[in-house]
Amino acid sequence: MPDYHDDLRLAHVLADAADAATTDRFKALDLKVETKPDMTPVSEADKHAEELIRGHLHRARPRDAILGEEYGLEGTGPRRWVVDPIDGTKNYVRGVPVWATLISLMEADEDGFQPVVGVVSAPALNRRWWAAKGAGAFTGRSLTSATRMRVSKVDRIADSSFAYASMTGWEEQGRLDGFMDLTRACWRTRGYGDFWPYMMVAEGSVDICAEPELSLWDMAANAIIVQEAGGRFTGLDGVSGPGGGNAAASNGLLHDELLGYLNQRY
């Protein structure tokens, strides 16, 4: 199996640079915010963080392609860095500390591009999570000061904690009835949103989570971290990986039942 240690170290360097830029502008009274064509907000901090990451990658990995939320796809080849400079921009611009930079390296195989390295850095929460293929998932302050993560062993939906972002997307897709049935069947539900539910699945503090509509940069880093922690990450169709336009993540034991609820009346 390939060794991705150097790529993981680089991803941490990229996250460090992004953290410095995003925390510097967090809660700034003169922060500039625009509305994109899809009616989602983008701040000057989103753009600056992605520009910094791209600049580092151009120098350190000039042959690799880059896909970012703000500036699209640049380059070709079997290796592609996928970047969400601020996942949770709506939180960021309102001063809510639940936001993170998501950085992933994806490599091409017979099933398309799959994530092999992922870093999720949430500086306002003072938290960082990461994983590399075949090397496990960790959380901590640095590569040398880290705790290995493992998913929970909860094996009944009635005992599970379910995290989600909002109900709007489920209603738009006609999946709201199944979603509501799932919330009633679970022990506990919370709308944490964005990257955080996936990290809590990897840590074992949440058992299942799902979102009905996502982009690749929202999912690639989360997917490898959940998988390396022993969990499952699929689309709502059950296909493994972050390429389905939506996501379901779990400790693995509850995954089929999770998908069953979300697809039962669809």
Side-chain angles (χ1 to χ4, degrees):
M1 182 175 291
D3 182 355
Y4 296 104
H5 185 70
D6 287 345
D7 293 311
L8 182 59
R9 284 195 301 174
L10 174 59
H12 276 272
V13 171
L14 301 176
D16 289 342
D19 285 356
T22 52
T23 54
D24 181 63
R25 299 298 292 155
F26 184 49
K27 294 187 178 181
L29 297 179
D30 60 343
L31 181 72
K32 296 178 181 178
V33 182
E34 304 170 2
T35 301
K36 294 191 286 189
D38 64 359
M39 302 308 293
T40 60
V42 58
S43 74
E44 63 182 82
D46 293 77
K47 295 180 178 180
H48 182 46
E50 185 168 324
E51 289 165 357
L52 282 175
I53 292 170
R54 286 176 180 267
H56 277 280
L57 287 171
H58 287 155
R59 294 186 294 272
R61 297 290 189 274
R63 296 183 179 180
D64 292 352
I66 308 169
L67 173 65
E69 179 176 10
E70 307 308 333
Y71 296 106
L73 178 62
E74 178 183 7
T76 59
R79 287 167 48 98
R80 178 181 298 174
W81 294 86
V82 180
V83 177
D84 189 343
I86 299 179
D87 182 50
T89 299
K90 292 178 181 177
N91 284 343
Y92 184 88
V93 301
R94 289 297 302 271
V96 178
V98 184
W99 48 271
T101 295
L102 278 54
I103 300 167
S104 178
L105 172 63
M106 302 186 74
E107 286 192 344
D109 64 16
E110 61 273 9
D111 297 319
F113 282 90
Q114 298 297 329
V116 294
V117 167
V119 171
V120 173
S121 190
L125 297 176
N126 196 31
R127 296 296 309 276
R128 185 176 290 188
W129 305 263
W130 63 88
K133 186 176 180 180
F138 296 85
T139 183
R141 294 183 177 274
S142 68
L143 284 168
T144 57
S145 178
T147 301
R148 186 157 190 168
M149 296 190 295
R150 301 186 191 280
V151 296
S152 75
K153 296 181 179 180
V154 173
D155 61 0
R156 295 192 334 134
I157 285 290
D159 298 327
S160 70
S161 179
F162 171 44
Y164 60 94
S166 71
M167 291 187 288
T168 307
W170 302 106
E171 186 172 22
E172 291 172 352
Q173 289 193 6
R175 299 179 189 263
L176 184 59
D177 287 342
F179 172 86
M180 293 304 298
D181 286 347
L182 176 60
T183 64
R184 297 183 187 105
C186 292
W187 166 68
R188 192 169 190 258
T189 62
R190 285 294 184 271
Y192 300 107
D194 300 306
F195 67 94
W196 208 4
Y198 303 98
M199 298 304 97
M200 287 191 281
V201 167
E203 291 179 322
S205 52
V206 164
D207 310 301
I208 54 176
C209 67
E211 290 183 88
E213 187 174 5
L214 293 166
S215 298
L216 182 61
W217 46 76
D218 298 314
M219 297 185 283
N222 295 335
I224 184 67
I225 292 171
V226 168
Q227 290 166 343
E228 286 295 319
R232 284 184 64 187
F233 189 106
T234 73
L236 296 178
D237 58 3
V239 176
S240 182
N246 45 49
S250 77
N251 63 4
L253 300 173
L254 300 171
H255 206 82
D256 290 341
E257 199 168 355
L258 167 63
L259 295 177
Y261 272 101
L262 298 177
N263 291 309
Q264 67 178 346
R265 304 186 190 183
Y266 179 58

